[in-house]
Amino acid sequence: MTLRRGIAAAAVAIVLTLLPNTAQAAESYPDPQPITGQQIIHDPTVIHLRSGGYVAYSTGGVIGARLSKDRVNWTDEGNAFAEPPSWWYEYNSTGDPWAPDISYRSGKYWLYYAVSSWGTNHSAIGVATSNSGLPGTWTDHGKVFTSETTDTWNAIDPALIRANGKLWMSFGSYWTGIRMVELDPRTGKAVEGTTVHHLATRPDAPYAVEGPYIVKHGRYYYLFASYDACCAGVNSTYKIKVGRSTSVTGPYTDSTGKPMLEGGGDLLLEGHGRYIGTGGESIFQDRGQDWLAYHYYDAEDNGTPKLGLNRLSWTKNGWPKVF
């Protein structure tokens, strides 16, 4: 879910997915809804603000910010922060943050994000809070969870979910895939000594799965993740896959019953026409309707990353489908 991971992008680009494809044929994938204004974005997280309107945060800048009154016309509103918090420079020389996730609980907005460098899992996830959720109003609270080169996971691409009275954070990229830890709801940081649960990987190195997002629908938890290569413009091969579980910590399986820990995952959305490399996804609710937010690379605009929004619906069998 980031402009990230330097496990040789060229090598990643040739990784061919061996996972089952049970979703729509490519020609039936819907285009993103038409939007206007500032469309450029990468790894979007979107929320309908309680004060009205929408905010989208993203990779780029000091967590780039976009605002909209109607979910159609978007304006560039600068960044979440005026300057990078000093501790970000422990993880890259430019203080560059990746892949934010916004949520609302306990009377305030919470913004999670990652800081790292290409090609290393010396990485950290941080958190900030705001009363309004608007750019320029965030107070940073430091590190939530970290990874080092001795770990078999990568602490980037955070996404939160509340389940069974507990707060959980999924995360991960390459380095054996998607993980999950429990958070302290008071601090928003990892519970001391928390178990690092393993949710999804693939059998083929470099384990090109990242950017998880989990939602509850009915009695199931659904794990969405981006597979293959991002960040290469029109040569990107990003696609979104999904599995589900009756437990937030897994095991997650696809519609054929294949575990996501064994390379399973139903294909939800992939590139088609001008919309290349669909991924970096998140999900938000708007007036009771689920929406999928993601980026794609516009083949008709030199591969520029842009915001994709599609309605997310559910089949009779309880599987998600984009419209």
Side-chain angles (χ1 to χ4, degrees), residues 128-167:
T129 57
S130 166
N131 290 328
S132 69
L134 294 171
T137 68
W138 294 94
T139 299
D140 191 63
H141 301 290
K143 300 174 189 178
V144 170
F145 189 74
T146 65
S147 60
E148 298 299 339
T149 56
T150 53
D151 291 320
T152 56
W153 57 80
N154 194 7
I156 64 170
D157 294 4
L160 267 64
I161 182 171
R162 285 176 285 186
N164 301 320
K166 296 183 178 181
L167 185 64

Side-chain angles (χ1 to χ4, degrees), residues 17-23 199-201 220-223 227 241-245 251-268 317-320:
T17 179
L18 301 177
L19 307 183
N21 178 355
T22 58
L199 305 187
T201 189
Y220 289 103
Y221 297 92
Y222 292 80
L223 169 59
Y227 284 66
K241 295 190 176 186
V242 63
R244 72 185 185 186
S245 173
Y252 288 86
T253 59
D254 64 21
S255 62
T256 71
K258 186 172 183 177
M260 293 185 80
L261 280 170
E262 298 176 11
D266 287 356
L267 185 58
L268 178 74
N317 293 327
W319 287 96

Side-chain angles (χ1 to χ4, degrees), residues 19-319:
L19 307 183
N21 178 355
T22 58
Q24 310 111 294
E27 60 270 17
S28 70
Y29 290 124
D31 295 345
Q33 77 160 37
I35 63 173
T36 59
Q38 176 56 270
Q39 301 180 40
I40 299 173
I41 208 165
H42 207 278
D43 308 321
T45 180
V46 180
I47 196 169
H48 190 182
L49 295 168
R50 292 182 172 239
S51 60
Y54 306 80
V55 64
Y57 289 103
S58 65
T59 298
V62 197
I63 306 181
R66 311 281 186 266
L67 291 177
S68 176
K69 294 180 180 179
D70 56 8
R71 209 184 55 237
V72 175
N73 185 63
W74 294 85
T75 58
D76 186 346
E77 299 295 333
N79 300 284
F81 298 97
E83 298 290 340
S86 60
W87 70 267
W88 291 7
Y89 293 98
E90 298 174 31
Y91 294 91
N92 60 59
S93 62
T94 57
D96 180 30
W98 297 340
D101 174 70
I102 190 171
S103 56
Y104 182 86
R105 63 180 178 83
S106 302
K108 54 188 172 184
Y109 293 90
W110 299 72
L111 187 66
Y112 287 75
Y113 57 83
V115 282
S116 188
S117 299
W118 282 83
T120 179
N121 64 335
H122 172 61
S123 309
I125 292 168
V127 64
T129 57
S130 166
N131 290 328
S132 69
L134 294 171
T137 68
W138 294 94
T139 299
D140 191 63
H141 301 290
K143 300 174 189 178
V144 170
F145 189 74
T146 65
S147 60
E148 298 299 339
T149 56
T150 53
D151 291 320
T152 56
W153 57 80
N154 194 7
I156 64 170
D157 294 4
L160 267 64
I161 182 171
R162 285 176 285 186
N164 301 320
K166 296 183 178 181
L167 185 64
W168 301 89
M169 181 180 72
S170 58
F171 64 94
S173 167
Y174 294 59
W175 278 275
T176 73
I178 306 306
R179 302 282 179 155
M180 171 176 274
V181 293
E182 184 183 351
L183 302 184
D184 180 335
R186 181 181 60 86
T187 64
K189 298 183 178 183
V191 170
E192 185 175 355
T194 182
T195 299
V196 182
H197 299 275
H198 199 186
L199 305 187
T201 189
R202 54 192 301 173
D204 48 333
Y207 315 109
V209 51
E210 58 188 1
Y213 200 92
I214 297 174
V215 298
K216 180 101 184 289
H217 180 78
R219 68 187 190 95
Y220 289 103
Y221 297 92
Y222 292 80
L223 169 59
F224 299 78
S226 296
Y227 284 66
D228 295 335
C230 84
C231 316
V234 295
N235 295 317
S236 301
T237 56
Y238 241 15
K239 55 184 67 71
I240 302 169
K241 295 190 176 186
V242 63
R244 72 185 185 186
S245 173
T246 55
S247 170
V248 72
T249 57
Y252 288 86
T253 59
D254 64 21
S255 62
T256 71
K258 186 172 183 177
M260 293 185 80
L261 280 170
E262 298 176 11
D266 287 356
L267 185 58
L268 178 74
L269 182 65
E270 66 176 344
H272 58 284
R274 69 186 291 180
Y275 310 103
I276 306 299
T278 53
E281 75 290 334
S282 62
I283 294 162
F284 67 100
Q285 273 212 335
D286 187 13
R287 299 178 178 90
Q289 171 65 57
D290 293 321
W291 286 84
L292 179 71
Y294 57 95
H295 67 251
Y296 66 89
Y297 302 94
D298 191 345
E300 296 183 10
D301 189 15
N302 299 311
T304 300
K306 295 183 179 179
L307 176 62
L309 295 172
N310 285 89
R311 186 166 58 89
L312 190 68
S313 189
W314 303 87
T315 68
K316 291 182 179 179
N317 293 327
W319 287 96

